[in-house]
Amino acid sequence: MPRIFASLAVAKLLLFVGAAGLGLYGSGHSDRHIILALLGLFMTCLIQVLSFTYLSVGGKVLIQAVHFGRLEADGIGPTKQAKRKFARCIGVAVLLMVGVVATGASAWRSGNPHSYHLPAILLFLCGWGWLHVFEFRILRSFCRLLDETLKAYSPLGVGSRSESLLSGR
């Protein structure tokens, strides 16, 4: 999941770079600028939803493995903590998006994009850079925890049954 997250973050960055290029240098292309910016915002929402869903479902799988395998419950606390941290990141992401969209809409309406929109974009990009690094670290540590828990759970015979079903034996 961390690689998918990083790939989607790079794709989102390319959308925002294209939107910024059209906004700064593409006179007469304000419609394309707005469309690319909205696609970037939708991509942002998609990344947040996918990542949080991964943490939620993976957390449920980890808790089930701990309970059914009678493993030590050391991984349950960090799982819930990772979800809480990521939920806070989503809140910051929404605030950043609202700030950029609001300043962009007011700049489009007034015809003066350099007053508030450019500083908001710079704040947005700096905030997103920091946020993506932080979220990537949360996802990477959760993946390691999930892998360790499932490896400890698989010698109990659960993995062999699913492998035989997949192989057709």
Side-chain angles (χ1 to χ4, degrees), residues 103-160:
T103 59
S106 68
W108 176 72
R109 191 167 177 104
S110 69
N112 185 12
H114 300 290
S115 58
Y116 298 107
H117 193 51
L118 288 178
I121 290 171
L122 292 176
L123 178 67
F124 176 77
L125 291 177
C126 291
W128 268 103
W130 173 81
L131 203 60
H132 276 313
V133 169
F134 189 70
E135 289 174 339
F136 182 81
R137 288 180 181 163
I138 291 171
L139 287 172
R140 189 177 58 197
S141 67
F142 177 75
C143 280
R144 288 181 185 149
L145 180 65
L146 186 62
D147 284 344
E148 290 170 7
T149 304
L150 291 179
K151 283 179 185 173
Y153 182 64
S154 69
L156 300 173
V158 175
S160 60

Side-chain angles (χ1 to χ4, degrees), residues 69-111:
R70 296 187 179 140
L71 303 173
E72 292 183 25
D74 295 342
I76 294 176
T79 299
K80 291 182 179 185
Q81 185 180 14
K83 242 171 84 172
R84 276 194 300 269
K85 285 180 183 178
F86 205 88
R88 287 186 200 118
C89 290
I90 291 173
V92 172
V94 168
L95 286 175
L96 288 170
M97 284 190 296
V98 166
V100 168
V101 169
T103 59
S106 68
W108 176 72
R109 191 167 177 104
S110 69

